[in-house]
Structures are given as C-alpha cells and as structure tokens.
Amino acid sequence: MSRAPRARSTRAREGLRGAALAALATHDPAAKIAATRAAAQRTATQDVGDIDVALTAPEHLPGRPERPALVAPGRVPRRSMHTAQGRAALLHAVAHIEFNALNLALDAVWRYPALPPAYYRDWLQVAVEEAHHFTLLRGHLQTLGYDYGDFAAHGGLWAMAEKTAADPVARMALVPRTLEARGLDVTPAMQAGFERAGDSAAAAILAVILADEIGHVAVGNRWYRWLCAREELDPVAQQAWLEKQFAAPRLKPPFNLDARRAAGFTVAELAALTGDA
C-alpha cells in the first residue's frame, strides 16, 4: 500500500495537484482553461511535486459560472435535430458534458494523494484535451448565435464524482469507465445527425472528441486496473459490485464495441456489458 499523505493542510500551488485544485476552483471557463493549460506547461518539464500533501479544498467545488442554470436531468428540454435551435441546444449539452469532464479530470488530479506521478500527468493531459473540446464546441455555438449558458443543463456527471470522492477505485470505475465511456456509444449517431442536418463543422468537432475520448477512457481503464491490482481486487467483479453500491445508471445498447476495445475494455468486460458473459 502507498504511504499516507503528510499530515498537513495547504493551499499549495507548488505542485501539480495544487495547480489542478486551483484550476478546478476557478469559476470562469476561459480562466479555468488557461489555468489548466498553464499547469500542464509548467509540469511538462518539472516534477509533479505535491503528491503526498493533504490539500484543503474550498467549500464549493467545482468552480462554475452562474449560467447555465442546473436542473434535474428530467427537466432538461428535449433537443431536436430538425431545428437550428434544437441543434444548438444539443451542442450546448455536449459542451456542458465536456466542461464537466474538464472538472472531473482536474478533480482526479488533486483529490487522491500518494499515487504514481504518471497518474497525475495522465489526468492533467486529459483535462487539457477536455478543455480543447469545450473550446471547440463553445466557438461553434457562438457562430450559431448562442453561447455556453444559454440553455439549461444538469449535473449528473458531477453528482457521481461527489459519490466517489472517497474512493479512487470507484471513481475510475464509475466515471471514466461508465459515464464517460457512454460517449463512445452515442457520439457516432450524433455525428451522423449533424451531417444530415448540414452541419459538417459540428460533425467534425464530434470526430475529434470521439478520437480523444477513446484515449481518456483508456486512461481510466489503466488506472482502474492498477488500483484493483494494488488492492487485490478482481476488476470485473469489482465493477459489478460498485455499479450496484453506487446506483450507477444501467447502460443499454447499442454499444460501440470497436471504440470500447480500442479504449482497452477486455473480452470479459465487454461480455459483462452486453450480457454475453
């Protein structure tokens, strides 16, 4: 087992984890993205730093702008591909997912101490790429006459982050491997829908996101298995137990099995997912 973090609280900015926490707490999206990129640039040639430090988080995380208004998932209006506003609302929903994914990656960096340096570097790189996705989507929304915050959204992704805050095994299992992996399944249909609607720019952005998200889910798979090995857990059995323990949403087909294989899901994991076990 890894040794416990040093028993001191800090608002440290000296290392990667402190920089990630500072970025996570930032409310303005542009400032959050700038802080994330600065942390990645600074740590590219420096030691990770504060791996063993017990950081003190601000009371309210993550930092987020006043808009969009957050509502229950069932109260988010339905989004139709058949109208310009409906397509903008769908793009806004994806942008909100990417903003949450940025926060989730930053949270994965700062929250769990005493892990290998590669873990923190991996998740900071994921954060940089999620920031890029959000920037692409927000820029395209602006060309359509809208901006991030113009439509209501929900906080389902962050709710699971809060549930798994005390357990990195659960975090890896239920956020990147479950909720974020769902994007591998649904993105191709969205791409096709935007192409049919004549918005090839949106479809191209989704292609970038899908390619990167395969890598992000692979990071989740890699560190989930590392953590399971450290704690002598069977990855497939532990995944099933965690899904029940934390009431994770039950995933339904269709599944993008090619993308999931590319992201590192094993034959046994895919069989459990599809019911072929």
Side-chain angles (χ1 to χ4, degrees):
M1 296 292 289
S2 299
R3 60 195 177 98
R6 295 196 301 273
R8 71 181 179 89
S9 294
T10 180
R11 298 171 65 185
R13 299 294 182 265
E14 66 216 300
L16 182 53
R17 290 180 56 241
L21 177 56
L24 179 63
T26 301
H27 294 272
D28 177 71
K32 184 188 295 284
I33 289 168
T36 299
R37 290 172 174 166
Q41 290 171 356
R42 182 163 58 86
T43 57
T45 57
Q46 297 179 16
D47 291 338
V48 171
D50 52 8
I51 288 177
D52 293 338
V53 173
L55 300 175
T56 299
E59 185 175 353
H60 298 292
L61 286 177
R64 54 177 298 272
E66 293 182 2
R67 299 171 65 242
L70 296 185
V71 299
R75 293 185 57 200
V76 176
R78 293 180 65 85
R79 300 172 287 267
S80 170
M81 280 282 192
H82 300 299
T83 67
Q85 185 180 50
R87 292 190 293 274
L90 180 56
L91 282 170
H92 185 277
V94 180
H96 184 65
I97 289 170
E98 297 301 315
F99 185 73
N100 271 283
L102 165 58
N103 283 329
L104 287 164
L106 292 170
D107 194 74
V109 173
W110 88 267
R111 186 170 293 279
Y112 305 111
L115 293 174
Y119 168 90
Y120 303 108
R121 294 189 186 280
D122 278 354
W123 282 110
L124 185 60
Q125 180 58 36
V126 170
V128 169
E129 292 174 4
E130 302 290 15
H132 179 57
H133 300 166
F134 175 80
T135 301
L136 291 174
L137 290 161
R138 186 179 191 182
H140 189 50
L141 265 176
Q142 290 169 341
T143 70
L144 301 177
Y146 298 92
D147 199 358
Y148 181 60
D150 286 349
F151 299 91
H154 69 80
L157 271 173
W158 189 256
M160 184 58 76
E162 291 178 334
K163 286 183 182 181
T164 59
D167 184 355
V169 178
R171 172 65 65 85
M172 295 297 107
L174 301 180
V175 176
R177 283 169 45 90
T178 300
L179 298 183
E180 293 187 87
R182 191 57 177 157
L184 305 182
D185 302 326
V186 303
T187 299
M190 282 196 291
Q191 286 178 266
F194 279 110
E195 287 284 11
R196 287 193 298 270
D199 192 341
S200 58
I205 291 170
L206 291 175
V208 171
I209 291 173
L210 178 59
D212 287 346
E213 291 299 338
I214 290 172
H216 300 174
V217 176
V219 170
N221 274 325
R222 177 162 61 253
W223 289 108
Y224 173 71
R225 293 197 185 100
W226 186 91
L227 289 160
C228 283
R230 185 182 71 168
E231 300 185 22
E232 300 182 345
L233 301 169
D234 175 76
V236 176
Q238 186 68 14
Q239 179 78 30
W241 183 84
L242 288 167
E243 288 171 0
K244 293 179 181 178
Q245 184 77 6
F246 288 88
R250 186 173 180 179
L251 303 184
K252 298 179 181 180
F255 300 113
N256 188 343
L257 296 180
D258 287 342
R260 285 176 174 269
R261 290 187 192 99
F265 284 99
T266 66
V267 171
E269 288 170 334
L270 293 177
L273 177 70
T274 60
D276 294 332

